Amino acid sequence: MKDLYIEGDEIRDEKAPAGPVAERWDQRRFSAKLVNPANRRKLSVIVVGTGLAGASAAATLGEAGYQVKSFCYQDSPRRAHSIAAQGGINAAKNYRNDGDSIYRLFYDTVKGGDFRSRESNVYRLSQVSVEIIDQCVAQGVPFAREYGGLLDNRSFGGVQVSRTFYARGQTGQQLLIGAYQALERQVQAGTVEMNTRHEMLELIVVDGRARGIVARDMVTGEIETHFADAVVLSSGGYGNVFYLSTNAMGCNVTATWRAHRKGAYFANPCYTQIHPTCIPVSGDYQSKLTLMSESLRNDGRIWVPNEAGDTRDPREIPEEERDYYLERIYPAFGNLVPRDIASRAAKNVCDEGRGVGPGGLGVYLDFADAIKRLGRPAVEAKYGNLFDMYQRITGENPYEVPMRIYPAVHYTMGGLWVDYDLQSSIPGLFVTGEANFSDHGANRLGASALMQGLADGYFVLPNTINDYLAAGPFEEVDESTPEAGEAAEAVRARIDKLLSINGNRTVDSFHKELGHIMWDYCGMERNEEGLRKAVERIRELREEFWQNVRVLGENEELNQSLEKAGRVADFFELAELMCIDALHRRESCGGHFRSESQTEDGEALRHDDEFAYVAAWEFGGTGEPPVLRKEPLEYEYVEMKQRSYK
């Protein structure tokens, strides 16, 4: 296996404070250098991405007085993929008086991530969670409320308390509109310059510091260079490497991957989340999948027939011939086990031949009991828009027939390595939200993505980036700086290469084939033989791509074929690193399940003596193996033990 990578020196998070975990965030905020308001006006920051992490960061930094340039590839910041989040956002408010606390949210998150995240980061996230809700309510986010007017809560997977705040089934949309309003206020005030329809294609590094980006105007094709004292990447995850996922089709890894190639470590790329409740694949023509919110598992019951091959109408299958397998296997948590566990359980019953629907790739999510207990109006009030969406897509009425669901790629816990300040291994390059690796370990709990995105953007980054910027303004750079010219020229050369190949295969056909390889060998279950085969096939397919892809049109126009080609080219390189990371980690933990490493009853079996570390990968150079740098994980406050939700 060592033929695939080189092992380098260990790394440490030098910014993480010592002392009691509950005091570390306050300690870091106090020790960080400050920038006075007059000096902030002399400093500039580029923020790439306008989802919850990016919009909140740009708005907060703009309000603080920095000169901010914000970039997104969509035609409006509101179209960032955060808008698709459905179920809710976690916060340790304990409004239900059910035993919740900051410490319990911390514990649940560390345990949910299968003991592969940093204690310091997770505790800070739990602390900041309570401030996020106050911030969003002040913005006017219409969270659901109880009859008396108090904010309502519901439960999500991996916990036994109700700490999830929600706005029906469109929480991400409402939170993003709140962040967007804050962002547009700063655009109007002149502190933020908004650049829509621009895609970052390269990072500019000068004297070892991140000093700008190369972006393509997606309407005219013009290659532009933009400069700042610091760069923030808030560009989301890389789930679309699988082709079929719940992500918007434009979601990509290019911004973070180009930074990786310039020296930013990429941490834990094999940690990908397969969401258990998605509408099953219906045919080869599909280009994306649709999420059904985890909140549905509050009241919906998941089951399959007891007998393999039972194709009866689900309403005709009597109760005694149904297997509510999550309630049977995990009685303490039932249908609200964490996502990785629920997904593998669904795969297992389908592998036994008990799956339902076309191809046997589905399980039932049944609301008959909830409708009987609560009444249809109450269920409509909670989940109506989700039920409507399901009916429009499938043509089936979930009020009358159980939903059919199956796991699908949804989120990525891996991302660029960052320290406690959210700074990557390149000085001046900060990474927030799903684009970094920092908080979720090997598995993210439901409703924690929105929490992390807003925590990073509103509260963490604005209190850490000042420590770096206090040494600025840095030496001025512009188009004449050699590193800037080289970066822009590299982008132009790559575009020219893609346009000149003029082969016989479409970009989508390559992406689809790559996705099949990744799902089959680096999906819900992995093993050494399959991962080695995947690396081999990815390399062959990548070589064919650069010889036989056909990219239509030209650069100087709106060219979606060219956009996709650049993104898929980066997906090929990422996919190989994901498989190498999965190969080297010979244990099962969270969303990374190696079939060679499981307990007698089929649960993930960790090997803490060998793999209790963050795998931070350094780019080794084109055609050269990557370099593995380990960051040891140490636990003082949560005991590392085999996860159990039974």
Side-chain angles (χ1 to χ4, degrees):
M1 192 186 304
K2 289 292 178 70
D3 55 316
L4 295 174
Y5 67 92
I6 298 167
E7 192 159 328
D9 296 333
E10 274 190 3
I11 57 171
R12 295 275 175 174
D13 176 6
E14 303 293 343
K15 300 286 178 59
V21 71
E23 297 173 12
R24 290 175 187 173
W25 178 225
D26 286 341
Q27 187 180 327
R28 179 58 190 144
R29 282 190 293 183
F30 180 74
S31 64
K33 296 169 188 161
L34 299 179
V35 181
N36 79 51
N39 287 341
R40 290 176 205 158
R41 294 193 290 272
K42 304 171 189 173
L43 295 163
S44 56
V45 181
I46 285 172
V47 180
V48 180
T50 57
L52 289 179
S56 58
T60 309
L61 293 173
E63 190 164 14
Y66 297 104
Q67 298 174 40
V68 180
K69 280 188 176 182
S70 178
F71 292 82
C72 67
Y73 66 76
Q74 297 91 346
D75 58 356
S76 165
R78 285 177 302 166
R79 290 185 182 271
H81 188 58
S82 298
I83 205 165
Q86 297 172 357
I89 177 170
N90 288 329
K93 285 285 198 180
N94 195 30
Y95 283 168
R96 286 290 184 92
N97 196 27
D98 55 1
D100 200 11
S101 64
I102 288 171
Y103 193 90
R104 188 175 294 280
L105 174 53
F106 159 66
Y107 173 83
D108 287 344
T109 305
V110 170
K111 178 184 175 184
D114 217 352
F115 305 93
R116 290 293 176 263
S117 55
R118 295 176 181 151
E119 282 189 330
S120 294
N121 290 58
V122 177
Y123 198 91
R124 174 176 66 187
L125 178 65
S126 304
Q127 284 176 296
V128 168
S129 72
V130 299
E131 300 173 36
I132 296 170
I133 302 304
D134 297 339
Q135 166 90 358
C136 294
V137 169
Q139 287 176 334
V141 173
F143 285 123
R145 293 178 181 268
E146 296 174 327
Y147 180 76
L150 301 176
L151 293 178
D152 197 12
N153 292 116
R154 56 191 178 196
S155 298
F156 261 59
V159 304
Q160 293 176 304
V161 297
S162 295
R163 65 163 68 103
T164 304
F165 295 78
Y166 64 98
R168 215 173 180 205
Q170 49 186 244
T171 314
Q173 180 181 26
Q174 299 304 326
L175 291 172
L176 185 60
I177 289 171
Y180 168 73
Q181 288 174 170
L183 176 63
E184 288 301 306
R185 177 169 171 260
Q186 296 310 312
V187 171
Q188 177 68 25
T191 61
V192 177
E193 175 192 301
M194 192 69 234
N195 296 273
T196 59
R197 305 297 286 154
H198 279 69
E199 182 168 24
M200 173 185 161
L201 296 180
E202 193 57 271
L203 180 71
I204 297 172
V205 179
V206 180
D207 296 331
R209 297 177 186 268
R211 292 303 310 273
I213 65 170
V214 180
R216 178 176 178 270
D217 183 320
M218 296 163 68
V219 178
T220 67
E222 183 181 354
I223 304 303
E224 306 171 357
T225 49
H226 297 268
F227 304 96
D229 293 299
V231 177
V232 179
L233 298 185
S234 310
S235 51
Y238 49 89
N240 274 352
V241 68
F242 290 89
Y243 184 68
L244 284 180
S245 81
T246 65
N247 290 180
M249 290 177 63
C251 294
N252 64 83
V253 75
T254 292
T256 48
W257 191 255
R258 303 324 288 179
H260 171 60
R261 289 178 62 97
K262 282 291 180 77
Y265 300 158
F266 207 114
N268 302 333
C270 76
Y271 289 166
T272 53
Q273 180 161 90
I274 314 293
H275 198 293
T277 53
C278 301
I279 297 177
V281 177
S282 57
D284 281 343
Y285 56 85
Q286 273 185 276
S287 53
K288 83 174 295 294
L289 298 173
T290 304
L291 174 73
M292 285 284 103
S293 169
E294 181 166 320
S295 62
L296 295 169
R297 291 199 271 148
N298 272 271
D299 291 306
R301 301 180 70 194
I302 296 173
W303 64 276
V304 291
N306 283 337
E307 300 299 325
D310 191 335
T311 58
R312 286 178 290 174
D313 184 308
R315 292 167 293 188
E316 295 175 2
I317 300 176
E319 196 74 12
E320 62 273 12
E321 294 179 30
R322 301 179 177 189
D323 180 13
Y324 295 91
Y325 58 89
L326 291 177
E327 298 173 23
R328 171 175 56 83
I329 302 171
Y330 308 102
F333 284 75
N335 294 297
L336 285 173
V337 291
R339 292 174 175 178
D340 58 320
I341 290 174
S343 293
R344 281 197 295 275
K347 179 184 184 296
N348 291 341
V349 295
C350 291
D351 289 348
E352 293 167 7
R354 295 194 287 148
V356 301
L361 292 178
V363 299
Y364 289 126
L365 179 59
D366 196 338
F367 283 83
D369 284 357
I371 291 170
K372 185 177 178 181
R373 185 179 77 253
L374 304 170
R376 177 166 169 167
V379 173
E380 283 182 357
K382 279 185 171 182
Y383 310 115
N385 63 319
L386 298 170
F387 278 44
D388 292 345
M389 182 166 64
Y390 180 88
Q391 186 165 3
R392 282 198 301 272
I393 292 171
T394 66
E396 299 171 4
N397 184 349
Y399 293 105
E400 298 173 2
V401 183
M403 288 183 179
R404 286 180 296 107
I405 56 167
Y406 192 69
V409 175
H410 176 60
Y411 186 88
T412 53
M413 285 74 67
L416 291 185
W417 182 90
V418 291
D419 61 19
Y420 192 71
D421 283 1
L422 303 184
Q423 186 171 215
S424 74
S425 51
I426 300 176
L429 179 67
F430 293 79
V431 192
T432 64
E434 191 179 354
N436 73 30
F437 88 103
S438 67
D439 294 345
H440 305 296
N443 175 65
R444 176 175 69 76
L445 291 182
S448 288
L450 307 187
M451 174 173 65
Q452 186 211 346
L454 292 181
D456 286 355
Y458 281 136
F459 298 104
V460 180
L461 183 74
N463 284 292
T464 59
I465 197 171
N466 44 273
D467 188 66
Y468 175 80
L469 291 174
F474 302 105
E475 187 179 339
E476 191 168 332
V477 293
D478 56 28
E479 289 86 348
S480 64
T481 305
E483 292 89 340
E486 290 164 12
E489 189 50 46
V491 167
R492 291 189 186 97
R494 192 167 187 250
I495 288 172
D496 291 344
K497 169 68 173 170
L498 288 167
L499 290 167
S500 68
I501 297 168
N502 204 26
N504 299 317
R505 285 189 63 177
T506 64
V507 176
D508 281 345
S509 73
F510 280 105
H511 193 183
K512 199 171 197 177
E513 188 173 344
L514 174 64
H516 279 304
I517 294 169
M518 293 301 290
W519 180 253
D520 290 345
Y521 301 115
C522 197
M524 270 194 283
E525 187 174 304
R526 304 150 179 191
N527 59 57
E528 177 142 358
E529 181 186 357
L531 289 165
R532 284 193 171 276
K533 185 186 293 185
V535 170
E536 190 179 314
R537 287 184 59 187
I538 289 165
R539 288 174 173 175
E540 291 169 357
L541 192 61
R542 183 173 69 223
E543 190 175 338
E544 184 188 350
F545 174 87
W546 283 106
Q547 293 174 353
N548 197 31
V549 72
R550 186 177 182 86
V551 181
L552 303 174
E554 54 190 37
N555 177 55
E556 289 73 24
E557 63 179 358
L558 176 63
N559 189 338
Q560 291 186 315
S561 179
L562 177 60
E563 293 163 21
K564 287 191 284 188
R567 295 166 187 170
V568 172
D570 290 331
F571 277 141
F572 275 119
E573 296 182 9
L574 166 72
E576 182 178 332
L577 184 63
M578 287 172 67
C579 293
I580 291 171
D581 188 37
L583 252 176
H584 110 277
R585 191 170 282 278
R586 298 182 312 279
E587 66 164 354
S588 294
C589 55
H592 169 63
F593 188 79
R594 286 284 295 261
S595 58
E596 307 99 325
S597 182
Q598 52 184 304
T599 63
E600 287 182 8
D601 51 357
E603 301 290 351
L605 180 62
R606 296 194 321 271
H607 299 298
D608 295 335
D609 55 330
E610 294 181 76
F611 296 103
Y613 59 78
V614 174
W617 295 91
E618 181 181 1
F619 183 66
T622 304
E624 298 299 319
V627 179
L628 171 63
R629 299 191 182 278
K630 300 176 181 177
E631 180 200 330
L633 290 170
E634 295 159 2
Y635 287 89
E636 299 176 63
Y637 295 89
V638 179
E639 180 190 354
M640 296 178 77
K641 57 186 177 183
Q642 179 68 31
R643 274 194 315 173
S644 174
Y645 291 93
K646 295 184 175 182

